[in-house]
Amino acid sequence: MSEDNCIFCKIIRGEIPARTVFEDEDFKVIMDASPATKGHVLILPKRHYDDLFALPEDVAAKALPLAARLAARLKEKLGCQGINIVQNNGEAAGQTVRHLHIHVIPRYEDGRKADVTWSHSTFDEAELDRILDTIRQNG
Ligand code: 5GP
Ligand code: ZN
């Protein structure tokens, strides 16, 4: 998706309205239009990057501290008991908007279900070792 017709770029340019929670020179934080829970917000880098593979390290380095500050604020102001940080890359991972974004999702011990978990798979020991050989990095 190009920046011209990217929905989050349009929000950042002010062409589409959004409820803005926070803004600085690098990021805009908005309320999700279809929230999983009360207070679900999205961290958007102001520049367009499709996904994590395109994200420069200097921008990435600022994103987690911002997520942590937002999480603390949501916890203080909304009284949630937990927070999920979720970041989807690619259709296979459930990314629907191809402008990198980080979900900050408050969680409440109120018995209401929110689908931000996954079911577990089983691999035998030999396969786990093969996977480890493939992905292990030194340094
Ligand atoms: P993804 O599935 O790509 O990780 O998440 C996209 C998120 O963007 C969804 O949670 C969806 O509700 C949210 N979203 C999509 N379009 C808009 C919009 O126009 N405004 C806002 N505020 N959120 C949007
Ligand atoms: Zn964009």
Side-chain angles (χ1 to χ4, degrees):
M1 187 182 285
S2 81
E3 296 172 39
D4 283 348
N5 54 23
C6 167
I7 190 127
F8 286 170
C9 282
K10 286 183 181 173
I11 286 173
I12 288 156
R13 289 195 297 263
E15 294 166 16
I16 291 179
R19 292 187 167 83
T20 301
V21 174
F22 172 82
E23 193 163 1
D24 66 10
E25 70 177 69
D26 298 305
F27 299 98
K28 190 177 179 85
V29 180
I30 62 170
M31 291 178 68
D32 196 294
S34 304
T37 65
K38 183 174 81 177
H40 178 175
V41 302
L42 302 172
I43 299 173
L44 316 178
K46 285 191 168 172
R47 292 195 61 181
H48 180 101
Y49 308 107
D50 277 1
D51 53 29
L52 193 59
F53 307 109
L55 187 67
E57 280 204 7
D58 62 325
V59 183
K62 296 176 184 170
L64 193 57
L66 174 56
R69 289 197 297 276
L70 284 162
R73 185 165 179 85
L74 294 172
K75 195 161 186 286
E76 182 197 336
K77 298 292 182 182
L78 298 177
C80 57
Q81 286 79 46
I83 297 269
N84 291 113
I85 304 293
V86 178
Q87 202 276 306
N88 300 324
N89 299 284
E91 230 175 280
Q95 185 179 12
T96 58
V97 179
R98 291 288 286 165
H99 177 128
L100 179 134
H101 51 281
I102 300 169
H103 298 260
V104 183
I105 307 174
R107 301 301 298 271
Y108 303 89
E109 284 166 2
D110 60 1
R112 265 188 274 175
K113 199 166 129 43
D115 286 326
V116 287
T117 57
W118 53 89
S119 51
H120 296 273
S121 304
T122 312
F123 297 89
D124 64 37
E125 296 292 327
E127 188 156 18
L128 290 172
D129 286 341
R130 276 197 298 278
I131 296 166
L132 176 61
D133 280 346
T134 308
I135 65 176
R136 184 168 40 207
Q137 272 187 291
N138 296 311

